[in-house]
Amino acid sequence: NALLNHMKAISIREKKASTGRMTLASTYSSTASTYYDMSDYGNAIMYYKKSIDIQESESNVDESALATNYSNIATAYNMSKDN
């Protein structure tokens, strides 16, 4: 199942977070998308925010990816009607 594999990837990448923070951010974003597809908007928003927190703390932030995460949060809030 996709979610189980995302959680395994997160567990591995969190152990190496100091050397691969942007990879961890990407994994959080992918996990958020899986939650979104499952209509679990609360968890989707939580993982998009985790990704954003990492992206905003890095000097080499991919602004396009950051904007996509913010847009995805807005869509998830809209879908959850909790905007």
Side-chain angles (χ1 to χ4, degrees):
N1 135 344
L3 193 54
L4 176 64
N5 286 293
H6 281 303
M7 292 302 142
K8 286 180 181 179
I10 287 171
S11 177
I12 293 166
R13 290 189 171 138
E14 283 178 338
K15 292 175 188 170
K16 302 285 184 185
S18 62
T19 58
R21 290 183 48 79
M22 293 308 289
T23 303
L24 179 58
S26 177
T27 303
Y28 283 149
S29 184
S30 295
T31 303
S33 295
T34 298
Y35 275 117
Y36 180 91
D37 290 343
M38 297 168 55
S39 300
D40 186 343
Y41 305 116
N43 276 317
I45 291 165
M46 179 183 71
Y47 278 96
Y48 284 131
K49 286 181 177 180
K50 285 182 176 221
S51 180
I52 286 169
D53 287 345
I54 292 171
Q55 290 172 313
E56 289 184 333
S57 72
E58 295 294 311
S59 59
N60 62 339
V61 63
D62 177 349
E63 290 183 353
S64 177
L66 183 60
T68 297
N69 277 330
Y70 275 114
S71 180
N72 289 340
I73 286 175
T75 302
Y77 273 122
N78 187 51
M79 293 300 292
S80 71
K81 307 298 185 220
D82 188 22
N83 49 16

